[in-house]
Amino acid sequence: MYIIPAIDLIEGKAVRLTQGDYSQKKEYNARPLEVAQQFEDAGLTRLHLVDLDGAKEKRVINWKVLEQIASKTRLHIDFGGGVQSDDDLRVVFECGAKQVTGGSIAVKKPEVMERWLSRHGGDTIILGADAKNEKIAVSGWEESTEVWVYDFVGQWVEKGIQYVISTDVAKDGLLQGPSFDLYRNLQDQFPGLNVIASGGVSNMTDIETLADMNVYGVIVGKAIYEGRVTLKELSAINGQ
């Protein structure tokens, strides 16, 4: 299982929100590059980089941070937040992202997401399937829908998606444990899909449980920044 540390960006700084609430923001580091280099130095190989400003503004904003991290580390970066147009996608790839996550776009402009999939392939475009009570949430979680997460993922698996990042909004940032049932259900229903768990990870027991479930990866954010898990522990369990 890949350990995928997260850096969430607001105004170019590394922050974390609680349950996607921009008013519950905690800044951790004014220099995200330093954070990324710490991850790399610990032996981690991947990074989940989220442009929270972009998610809110519906366009990529923190591309300079992406460019800086991609040029000064060897981390495999997947980038999400605000990627809404072909120009956004081009900028993100030019700045060094290896994969791009499309969440809101897959709900609101599915024809654009399909075009990206056909151009770049299901191994490059990740489906963001964030859920609140098993229903899809979009636009930085500020909007809920009536779309069941499993129906949504199923539609995109048929179109060629190979990776999905699914965050349970109700769990995110609370350090109360991930939505294990959500990930079990996704794996049971879509056996060939690479499921990446996100939200709620609070300790190594959570991570070991997900590893035992054979999920492809787990995104870890607040648990790192709050000292609940160490980079040494994460590196020891990280897949290569």
Side-chain angles (χ1 to χ4, degrees), residues 174-222:
L174 295 181
L175 299 171
Q176 294 176 356
S179 240
F180 296 114
D181 289 344
L182 173 64
Y183 306 123
R184 280 194 195 94
N185 291 339
L186 285 169
Q187 287 187 292
D188 289 347
Q189 291 189 41
F190 312 107
L193 187 63
N194 295 302
V195 175
I196 299 170
S198 171
V201 169
S202 61
N203 52 43
M204 285 305 296
T205 302
D206 289 339
I207 291 168
E208 286 158 4
T209 300
L210 289 165
D212 290 342
M213 289 166 56
N214 291 317
V215 299
Y216 175 83
V218 56
I219 292 171
V220 189
K222 200 167 192 176

Side-chain angles (χ1 to χ4, degrees), residues 50-102:
V50 181
D51 184 349
L52 289 174
D53 292 317
K56 206 169 188 179
E57 296 293 327
K58 299 180 175 55
R59 61 188 174 89
V60 173
I61 290 176
N62 286 290
W63 57 269
K64 285 186 178 177
V65 179
L66 164 63
E67 187 175 50
Q68 189 180 41
I69 293 173
S71 64
K72 295 187 176 175
T73 74
R74 295 181 303 279
L75 294 169
H76 176 114
I77 301 170
D78 79 76
F79 184 92
V83 186
Q84 296 280 311
S85 68
D86 290 352
D87 275 348
D88 287 326
L89 191 70
R90 177 184 53 77
V91 165
V92 166
F93 282 137
E94 285 178 356
C95 288
K98 297 289 191 239
Q99 292 177 297
V100 172
T101 302

